[in-house]
Amino acid sequence: MAKRGNGLGGTPVEIPRTGRANTWGVRTPLHFNKATGKQERYWIGREYKNKTAAERALRVWITDYEAGKVAARSDLKLGDWLDKWLSNHRKEGTTMAGYETKVRLHIKPHIGGVKLCEVTDDTLDDLYRLLETTPCPTNKGKPLGAKSVRHMHNILSGALGAAAPKLIPVNPAATAHPPIARQIRAQESRYPTLDDGQTTRFLGTVWQPGL
């Protein structure tokens, strides 16, 4: 049974957020996990608007735990889950190859070793900022663009969504903050590309056959 007192019970805490209002989070009380045979606690949620909402979520978790409705959580790593998710994913071959490459090169090296049950929205936000600011060997030594990072988020959102609620209580990607459409458009506008018609017109102004 989950203990409520003596420092073992969950206590809502304020989560500092950058560029937006702080939220509230709460962990489970210390409890026994049948899947691992260990005492543990984990985040129930980190995006509650206030302390009251976090306390309400904690009460619901305790009620469910005492009723035997909380599923045991494994030590499965995020990288292992991504491999399993990809192997069962029904997409065209070229799409799957793109997914597998992005997971192998940009996701697993950074957070693949994190336990699936311990991945939070902050874990994902840190990954996105890292990819946007750190030189990437596969991108000519430049950080990844906003559009590519957004694609990483879409992959993670699908994989983590498939894990909830059986393996994790909620999908942390739902409250993460990847690059938004406005940022992607702004970045693309700095590197304009020409369509076929524009290319033809451009070449016509600088090159004439036989000259």
Side-chain angles (χ1 to χ4, degrees):
M1 180 177 294
K3 296 184 178 180
R4 305 168 190 253
N6 300 321
L8 297 179
T11 301
V13 295
E14 191 169 9
I15 308 294
R17 299 297 189 179
T18 301
R20 63 189 178 103
N22 289 351
T23 59
W24 283 80
V26 65
R27 292 178 183 268
T28 67
L30 190 66
H31 64 284
F32 182 74
N33 183 346
K34 294 180 181 179
T36 62
K38 300 176 182 177
Q39 295 286 328
E40 67 172 31
R41 59 165 52 115
Y42 57 86
W43 287 105
I44 298 172
R46 297 165 57 86
E47 285 285 333
Y48 301 108
K49 292 183 178 180
N50 50 52
K51 184 177 181 181
T52 300
E55 290 173 335
R56 186 182 304 116
L58 174 62
R59 290 195 297 271
V60 170
W61 185 92
I62 290 174
T63 299
D64 287 346
Y65 180 83
E66 293 177 345
K69 296 180 180 180
V70 175
R73 303 183 348 146
S74 73
D75 283 337
L76 182 68
K77 299 291 194 299
L78 174 62
D80 295 330
W81 171 250
L82 288 170
D83 289 341
K84 182 176 181 180
W85 177 74
L86 286 169
S87 69
N88 294 325
H89 209 284
R90 296 182 180 274
K91 288 284 186 181
E92 293 182 359
T94 53
T95 299
M96 283 308 303
Y99 282 14
E100 290 168 354
T101 298
K102 289 179 172 61
V103 167
R104 175 171 50 83
L105 295 178
H106 306 300
I107 297 176
K108 290 173 69 174
H110 300 296
I111 61 173
V114 178
K115 289 182 182 179
L116 176 63
C117 61
E118 293 180 354
V119 176
T120 67
D121 52 0
D122 280 341
T123 305
L124 303 181
D125 286 345
D126 288 344
L127 172 66
Y128 303 152
R129 301 299 87 78
L130 177 69
L131 295 176
E132 288 182 295
T133 58
T134 303
C136 177
T138 62
N139 193 38
K140 300 179 180 179
K142 299 182 295 184
L144 295 181
K147 186 175 183 178
S148 294
V149 175
R150 179 74 196 200
H151 194 198
M152 306 296 174
H153 168 75
N154 293 342
I155 293 172
L156 284 164
S157 181
L160 292 168
K166 184 177 181 179
L167 298 176
I168 53 177
V170 296
N171 181 353
T175 51
H177 297 84
I180 59 177
R182 175 174 53 80
Q183 294 171 311
I184 295 172
R185 288 195 300 270
Q187 196 171 77
E188 290 178 338
S189 68
R190 296 200 299 269
Y191 307 101
T193 57
L194 303 180
D195 59 29
D196 290 344
Q198 292 171 324
T199 300
T200 300
R201 289 191 293 273
F202 171 74
L203 290 175
T205 64
V206 298
W207 176 74
Q208 293 293 329
L211 297 182

